[in-house]
Amino acid sequence: MDSMPQLSFSNNRYRKSLRRTGLLALTLMLILNLYAAFYIQFADAATSQIIVMDKTQYLQSEPVTLSYKGAAANGKDWVGIYKTGDTPPGSGVAITWNYAKSGDGKVSFSGLAPGTYDALFLFNDGYTILDRKTFQVVTSMPVSGVTLDQPKIRMTQGDIQTLTATVSPGNANDQRVSWISSNPSIVSVTATGGIATLNANLPGTATVTSTTYDGNFKASATVRVDPPGYIRVSGISIDKQDVTLEKGQTTQVTATVAPVDAANPNVLWTSSNPSVASVVADVNGTATIQANSGGIASITATAADDEGYTVVSNITVHVPANGVLLDQANIQMVANQSVQLHATVSPADALNKNVIWSSSDPSIVQVTGLNDTTDATILGLKVGTAVITVRTVDGNFTQDCNVTVAVLDNTALKSAITAAQVKLDSASIGSKWGQYSQSAAGTLHAAISAANVVWSNVNATQTEVNQSVIALNSALQNFEGALNVNASIGDVAIISAHNGSTSVSSDWADIQRYDLNQDNEISIIDLQAMAKMIVNQ
């Protein structure tokens, strides 16, 4: 009976603990959901919200205007102007700022002192930076250039026309320009600011130039004045638009300007590639075209009265192919090895140099190059022989390359590597008698490494393997010649100190070189031999 209230109290406390645990779990879930919503909202914003400056330099007297894109619907995204390098809230405060209305829009800022600033696009009333752009406010904006709206003008005597100069940048402080005509008797100029009025006084040509006060930048227009009643060219045509010639042939073409009563019916002729086809003007709009070498050229006829009117005749000079040569007639290779082949089509100015490659047995040697090119890659697939043939598209001229795919014999290389490595491993390195220098050992080690690279290369040729054997044997021979044979009394002392040592001694590796009679023991015999060696030096 006494235990029942205690049991009831424990159950009540347990239920309260469960309720508290459940409330805590719900609170945590709510916090996580809010955080996830914020994170998703920020991640979406970060990929779409940007700001764009209309320029990177502003005069102190003009507003700084920028465009923003993708501002949040709640209107809490904002744009702040900071000193360059400031990163809120840790460093710096906004000099000025504005909220960004939902979607896309613009904001402007005025009253900024000269200096360099960053415009920051910030997220949801906070300091998470979505985008940053840098700009400058300057006290003056220098002129960087000037352009004219018309580089060439055609007028008739008595005409009046305007010409406009545009100074850049558009917010440069000094927008003033001056105007001058190279021949006022032909074209006179009166100007108001950047707009000039041109008066065509007499037939002829003059150059009108605009010059900026700031920086002395210039822009010029060529003005041509025609006499009253002058009939201008309004078009041009040619009788042969596409012509094919053999090398050495000639043909005539005729260009006709319109109208037929044009004041200047003359035609100017040019060739895009005179080495292929040259052109010489005749009379009455005709010209003679000479085919010089194989290829393609464009012959252009231009109205002398107005270079804006042109017409083209496309000339193809056909020089037939008369043969083909390969840079290799015989190739020896191993399986999985690739080799480059190059074909040369003759003559050098043949119009069509395209070729087709083929293999007599693609299961042994495969041609992996593309057709219609003079280069190909052949790949050995298995032991055997095959013939690679190149054939010209023009004329079907051919040449063969005999390819043998053999088993690579690298046993001599492996033996040379083993012998060199054994010699290097057993050598004593140092500056004493019977030792090899450190530099000699390094050279042999490098030669062994190079030989190993060739031995492990599945694409190595037999020639490369053979050359590697020769190089390694030469390096080994040079190493053996680097042995220090200048003995001294110190060497006699060493033999005396180790008299009786044998090949089982713990320091045998260090003193083995003093076993001059090679009986695996340091003895009086070795001492006598060393003494004799010193006497005979």
Side-chain angles (χ1 to χ4, degrees), residues 495-530:
I495 293 177
S496 299
H498 291 85
N499 186 37
S501 296
T502 66
S503 58
V504 297
S505 301
S506 58
D507 58 352
W508 183 251
D510 296 328
I511 62 174
Q512 183 181 3
R513 65 183 183 280
Y514 290 106
D515 181 17
L516 301 182
N517 64 347
Q518 299 182 356
D519 62 352
N520 293 323
E521 180 182 4
I522 304 297
S523 66
I524 191 65
I525 297 175
D526 301 310
L527 183 62
Q528 292 172 344
M530 177 60 71

Side-chain angles (χ1 to χ4, degrees), residues 51 53 55-58 84-85 116-119 132-136:
I51 51 177
M53 310 294 299
K55 49 193 169 187
T56 59
Q57 281 190 326
Y58 298 84
T84 291
T116 304
Y117 299 89
D118 285 351
R132 179 194 293 260
K133 293 292 188 298
T134 300
F135 65 93
Q136 288 183 317

Side-chain angles (χ1 to χ4, degrees), residues 146-221:
V146 61
T147 57
L148 298 178
D149 63 339
Q150 302 171 80
K152 294 184 179 180
I153 298 176
R154 190 85 176 264
M155 303 176 71
T156 300
Q157 185 177 351
D159 286 351
I160 296 175
Q161 191 163 330
T162 59
L163 183 62
T164 302
T166 301
V167 175
S168 57
N171 61 343
N173 287 74
D174 192 348
Q175 296 281 328
R176 295 178 300 163
V177 295
S178 63
W179 295 88
I180 190 171
S181 171
S182 64
N183 195 336
S185 63
I186 295 175
V187 178
S188 57
V189 181
T190 57
T192 302
I195 300 177
T197 300
L198 310 183
N199 296 278
N201 302 319
L202 293 172
T205 301
T207 300
V208 176
T209 302
S210 175
T211 305
T212 64
Y213 278 64
D214 179 12
N216 201 39
F217 295 97
K218 299 178 183 294
S220 298

Side-chain angles (χ1 to χ4, degrees), residues 38 41-42 45-46 49-51 66 68-72 74-82 86-101 107 109 118-133:
F38 172 84
Q41 181 183 6
F42 168 68
Q49 290 180 282
I50 61 172
I51 51 177
L66 58 86
Y68 62 83
K69 294 183 179 181
N74 64 5
K76 294 299 183 180
D77 293 344
W78 59 289
V79 178
I81 305 300
Y82 288 81
D86 286 354
T87 302
S91 63
V93 295
I95 299 170
T96 182
W97 64 277
N98 272 323
Y99 277 121
K101 294 181 180 180
V107 290
F109 303 94
D118 285 351
L120 303 185
F121 202 0
L122 299 122
F123 181 66
N124 195 31
D125 251 346
Y127 293 100
T128 300
I129 300 173
L130 300 171
D131 198 9
R132 179 194 293 260
K133 293 292 188 298

Side-chain angles (χ1 to χ4, degrees), residues 405-416:
V405 182
V407 177
L408 180 66
D409 183 6
N410 59 7
T411 54
L413 178 58
K414 185 60 177 176
S415 298

Side-chain angles (χ1 to χ4, degrees), residues 473-498:
N473 287 337
S474 177
L476 179 59
Q477 185 177 359
N478 291 336
F479 177 74
E480 291 173 338
L483 179 66
N484 185 353
V485 294
N486 294 320
S488 66
I489 296 300
D491 296 308
V492 173
I494 292 174
I495 293 177
S496 299
H498 291 85

